[in-house]
Amino acid sequence: MYHAPVMDGLTEVLLYRDPTRPLRVHANVPRTVAHNLPRGAKLHYDFGPEADPKKRLELALNVLTLFLPPGEDGEEAVRCRSNATSRTAFRLAEAFADEFLAPMEGTGATIAEDVLRAWIRIQAEAWPELERYPELPGPRWEPLDPSGRRPR
């Protein structure tokens, strides 16, 4: 079983569309967990309101697994179709996909590590007592410009 490493020096999650093939989404997140896509399906990430919800959820699960590897939350790991994730990452994947990835449009965006860690902490503390997740103040991501280049 492979556990996602916490990437040394990672300061943000970068998501962007390939300018030559706009249906292809790239991320600086390793694809370590597969759970929501059918067997044999190619694991492609996606974001935005028009994205396949299963591809969005797969991306969310991999992002959260990067920051919450199996066992790091003190709970038993959740076995996925491929590899495993932490129970907290598994619980929060849908909320993360809805809050961060579904509204994201355009060429892509960056999500700062501190924003992501704060969101995880707020959500994990609220689980399962709240039906609605508390809001994180401030911007959730920084959009990329239309050329696909990251802002400076």
Side-chain angles (χ1 to χ4, degrees):
M1 183 181 312
Y2 175 77
H3 295 297
V6 176
M7 296 172 68
D8 290 333
L10 180 74
T11 59
E12 62 191 12
V13 171
L14 171 64
L15 308 169
Y16 62 97
R17 293 193 184 281
D18 187 329
T20 60
R21 297 177 4 199
L23 296 178
R24 179 69 52 107
V25 170
H26 300 280
N28 65 340
V29 176
R31 295 176 178 173
T32 57
V33 179
H35 185 70
N36 301 292
L37 296 175
R39 286 196 185 281
K42 290 188 176 180
L43 177 58
H44 291 295
Y45 291 150
D46 209 352
F47 60 82
E50 304 298 321
D52 177 346
K54 289 183 179 181
K55 290 181 180 181
R56 215 172 26 226
L57 194 54
E58 206 71 21
L59 173 57
L61 191 59
N62 277 278
V63 169
L64 293 174
T65 299
L66 177 66
F67 288 90
L68 289 165
E72 189 174 289
D73 59 357
E75 297 186 48
E76 187 175 331
V78 174
R79 182 91 171 115
C80 296
R81 188 170 51 79
S82 172
N83 295 319
T85 187
S86 67
R87 188 157 305 279
T88 302
F90 192 79
R91 283 184 195 140
L92 297 178
E94 191 171 345
F96 180 80
D98 290 347
E99 192 169 331
F100 283 81
L101 304 177
M104 191 181 291
E105 294 189 52
T107 57
T110 59
I111 305 170
E113 175 190 13
D114 57 341
V115 169
L116 187 53
R117 289 193 188 279
W119 184 86
I120 290 168
R121 188 180 64 253
I122 290 168
Q123 305 313 316
E125 288 172 1
W127 187 274
E129 294 84 11
L130 299 179
E131 290 181 19
R132 188 175 185 295
Y133 297 99
E135 293 292 323
L136 181 69
R140 290 177 178 36
W141 61 82
E142 183 179 350
L144 301 178
D145 71 23
S147 70
R149 293 193 182 110
R150 294 182 47 204
R152 298 194 187 271

